[in-house]
Amino acid sequence: MAEEIKADKSMDLKGLPCPMPVVKISKGIKDVAVGEVVMCETSDPGALADFPAWAKTSGNEILQTVQEGNTVKFYIKRKV
Amino acid sequence: MDPEISKQLAELQAQIDRLGQNAPQNKLSMVVFSGNLDRALASFIIATGAVAMGMEVVMFFTFWGTPLLRDKRKSAGGKDMMGQMFGAMLPKGAGDLKLSSLNMGGMGTAMMKSLMKKKNVASLEQMIEMAGELGVRIFICDMSMDLMGFKREEMIDYPDLTYCGVAKFLEEAMGSKIQLFI
């Protein structure tokens, strides 16, 4: 297990279905400075495919993906 | 360097520059033709998702898609008989739409709506509001408005709602990476 990444902001997106998780993270990541990290927790099964697609297109970086039961935590570094 | 090769390189560079100027923008253009609840929902999910992906989004509402942008709290006078008939028979706003299949006299649509609520899926009305907040631009086909006898004063309050014709859609679509017809 990799060491815990320190997040500058946390977002609880559990219970929100498509398209809300990507809509929320695309807004939420603007609250941190470039280089800072947002931890985002979601229960949307589609997020496992959607977050990497969103990160790639928007130019941000997913540092770590942690699956815990029905939820997934993404550690995302703002790059742009 | 061989002068012939330099010349070819310069020509290639010029060609690449021209291509770059004509390249489509990071934009999604969508025609919403359908007045079915399921299709309208899909179009707004794609639209809001595209904004999240960093795209500019324009939606053009035409034909059966037009009435879903009516505001149920508003009404307009001065309509002729055909206009009044269309007004009464077509959906008055997003809340009036029916599923394209399994509607079952409205039962299926009601069941789907309650299921969506239970599963926390945003309603079409909420999606439209969110699209407005996210800066999705909405255009309405002027000819559809005229054909169905809709008046501008009975349409929803949406930021920068614009009325247009086919040329405006084509201009936007030509410069878009993605074009959809729903």
Side-chain angles (χ1 to χ4, degrees):
Chain A
M1 175 88 199
E3 65 177 290
E4 187 90 350
I5 296 170
K6 191 190 144 291
D8 300 284
K9 175 189 162 82
S10 294
M11 294 176 76
D12 180 4
L13 306 179
K14 291 195 294 290
L16 291 175
C18 175
M20 297 315 295
V22 284
V23 170
K24 296 266 186 197
I25 183 64
S26 69
K27 279 182 171 175
I29 197 140
K30 303 216 168 85
D31 294 342
V32 301
V34 173
E36 289 187 332
V37 176
V38 175
M39 192 284 285
C40 189
E41 195 169 7
T42 161
S43 58
D44 175 25
L48 273 176
D50 272 11
F51 271 67
W54 165 79
K56 192 179 159 199
T57 337
S58 63
N60 294 293
E61 186 188 353
I62 295 182
L63 300 174
Q64 197 178 15
T65 307
V66 187
Q67 259 181 290
E68 288 168 356
N70 289 329
T71 68
V72 189
K73 279 183 187 171
F74 295 99
Y75 290 87
I76 305 153
K77 188 177 193 176
R78 180 172 176 190
K79 304 266 279 191
V80 285
Chain B
M1 198 190 288
D2 189 321
E4 187 56 33
I5 291 177
S6 309
K7 198 179 144 211
Q8 280 180 0
L9 267 178
E11 274 172 16
L12 273 175
Q13 188 59 52
Q15 215 164 7
I16 289 169
D17 289 346
R18 275 199 303 277
L19 282 173
Q21 280 162 15
N22 292 330
Q25 294 163 355
N26 193 22
K27 180 159 73 176
L28 163 67
S29 292
M30 212 181 314
V31 177
V32 184
F33 180 92
S34 166
N36 291 128
L37 175 61
D38 34 27
R39 286 178 182 257
L41 260 175
S43 67
F44 275 96
I45 290 173
I46 297 170
T48 49
V51 176
M53 301 289 273
M55 298 185 87
E56 184 190 342
V57 181
V58 285
M59 298 174 90
F60 292 82
F61 286 78
T62 187
F63 264 87
W64 312 120
T66 317
L68 79 90
L69 297 177
R70 293 166 83 197
D71 190 327
K72 67 174 179 209
R73 293 159 304 183
K74 295 183 189 169
S75 55
K79 291 192 182 186
D80 59 16
M81 202 184 71
M82 290 301 278
Q84 281 175 13
M85 266 173 55
F86 268 119
M89 290 190 316
L90 288 169
K92 190 155 189 188
D96 261 0
L97 301 195
K98 304 276 180 270
L99 290 175
S100 63
S101 54
L102 296 182
N103 181 44
M104 300 183 289
M107 233 171 62
T109 299
M111 274 165 64
M112 178 62 82
K113 281 186 180 174
S114 86
L115 200 61
M116 280 167 61
K117 207 167 193 172
K118 198 175 138 205
K119 300 217 178 237
N120 231 345
V121 176
S123 69
L124 184 54
E125 293 93 324
Q126 289 169 326
M127 293 298 294
I128 295 174
E129 200 186 321
M130 195 166 73
E133 285 165 13
L134 291 172
V136 171
R137 284 187 290 144
I138 289 187
F139 292 84
I140 304 180
C141 165
D142 231 343
M143 193 181 73
S144 298
M145 292 283 294
D146 189 40
L147 269 177
M148 296 173 185
F150 297 150
K151 308 273 189 199
R152 294 185 181 190
E153 61 260 33
E154 66 181 296
M155 307 309 276
I156 56 166
D157 296 314
Y158 188 92
D160 299 320
L161 194 66
T162 310
Y163 298 86
C164 73
V166 68
K168 183 63 196 161
F169 164 67
L170 290 171
E171 184 209 359
E172 298 281 351
M174 268 185 244
S176 299
K177 269 187 188 163
I178 307 178
Q179 303 98 7
L180 298 174
F181 186 96
I182 295 182

